[in-house]
């Protein structure tokens, strides 16, 4: 996503709703994947994914609160959740989603500061720190280095 100049409060609500839909997607994916992942190699990460689900719920609540602050109406529709019967595929889906979420939140922080909404940028900084932990957990589970994130 390229840097947008002259962000408006209305556009911020639209973008935060996209972020909220992505948080809902993460809640659903982590919940389902954590309970359907099979194999001894995935026991530990399945437990970690269940923890991630609760953290994503916290993010959704925080984003919803910010949308309300902007007098917007929070979405109730998640982004599509990809499914697979292969644990490695599920982890890769989550890794890609976390990567995109980090890119989006980096942009949102810049936009919030452009609007002078420093409280929003602080909320997003706390969320993005946790999203980066999720990314690292997933990369570790896949036995790969953290992916490069460029926005």
């Amino acid at each position: 996503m390229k840097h947008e100049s002259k962000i408006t409060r209305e556009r911020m609500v639209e973008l935060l709703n996209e972020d909220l839909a992505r948080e809902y997607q993460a809640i659903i994916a982590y919940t389902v994947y954590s309970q359907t992942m099979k194999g001894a190699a995935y026991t530990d990460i399945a437990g970690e994914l269940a923890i991630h689900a609760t953290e994503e719920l916290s993010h959704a609540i925080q984003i919803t609160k910010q949308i309300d602050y902007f007098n917007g109406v929070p979405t109730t529709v998640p982004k599509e959740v990809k499914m697979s019967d292969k644990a490695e595929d599920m982890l890769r889906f989550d890794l890609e989603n976390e990567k995109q979420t980090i890119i989006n939140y980096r942009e949102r922080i810049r936009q919030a500061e452009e609007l002078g909404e420093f409280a929003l940028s602080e909320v997003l900084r706390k969320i993005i720190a946790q999203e980066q932990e999720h990314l690292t957990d997933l990369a570790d589970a896949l036995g790969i280095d953290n992916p490069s994130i460029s926005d």
Side-chain angles (χ1 to χ4, degrees):
M1 179 179 241
K2 297 293 181 212
H3 178 71
E4 294 181 25
S5 60
K6 306 291 185 205
I7 184 88
T8 64
R9 291 176 69 79
E10 294 76 19
R11 180 68 180 139
M12 181 60 81
V13 168
E14 291 173 14
L15 293 168
L16 288 171
N17 265 315
E18 289 176 19
D19 298 331
L20 182 56
R22 187 174 295 283
E23 294 292 352
Y24 292 155
Q25 174 193 44
I27 294 164
I28 295 166
Y30 282 134
T31 300
V32 173
Y33 297 171
S34 72
Q35 301 307 307
T36 60
M37 215 171 256
K38 304 293 185 235
Y42 299 104
T43 302
D44 288 343
I45 190 62
E48 190 64 32
L49 296 184
I51 293 168
H52 288 190
T54 62
E55 292 169 346
E56 298 293 355
L57 175 58
S58 173
H59 300 169
I61 291 168
Q62 292 173 69
I63 297 298
T64 300
K65 186 174 188 176
Q66 294 301 311
I67 292 168
D68 183 63
Y69 167 77
F70 280 94
N71 297 318
V73 177
T75 187
T76 59
V77 180
K79 293 186 71 60
E80 180 185 356
V81 177
K82 293 181 183 178
M83 287 300 298
S84 175
D85 57 357
K86 296 178 183 161
E88 187 172 331
D89 289 346
M90 292 182 221
L91 294 173
R92 289 192 185 282
F93 297 155
D94 280 341
L95 184 72
E96 186 56 37
N97 289 339
E98 290 293 356
K99 182 178 169 183
Q100 189 59 53
T101 297
I102 292 167
I103 290 168
N104 291 355
Y105 282 148
R106 285 179 179 177
E107 181 65 12
R108 213 69 67 241
I109 289 166
R110 287 189 283 271
Q111 293 164 329
E113 292 189 350
E114 184 178 320
L115 271 176
E117 295 292 345
F118 301 107
L120 171 58
S121 69
E122 289 304 312
V123 166
L124 294 172
R125 277 184 171 81
K126 289 177 184 164
I127 292 173
I128 206 172
Q130 220 165 30
E131 300 292 8
Q132 286 179 203
E133 289 175 20
H134 295 174
L135 183 91
T136 298
D137 290 344
L138 292 163
D140 288 350
L142 287 163
I144 63 173
D145 289 334
N146 286 336
S148 173
I149 299 176
S150 58
D151 49 341

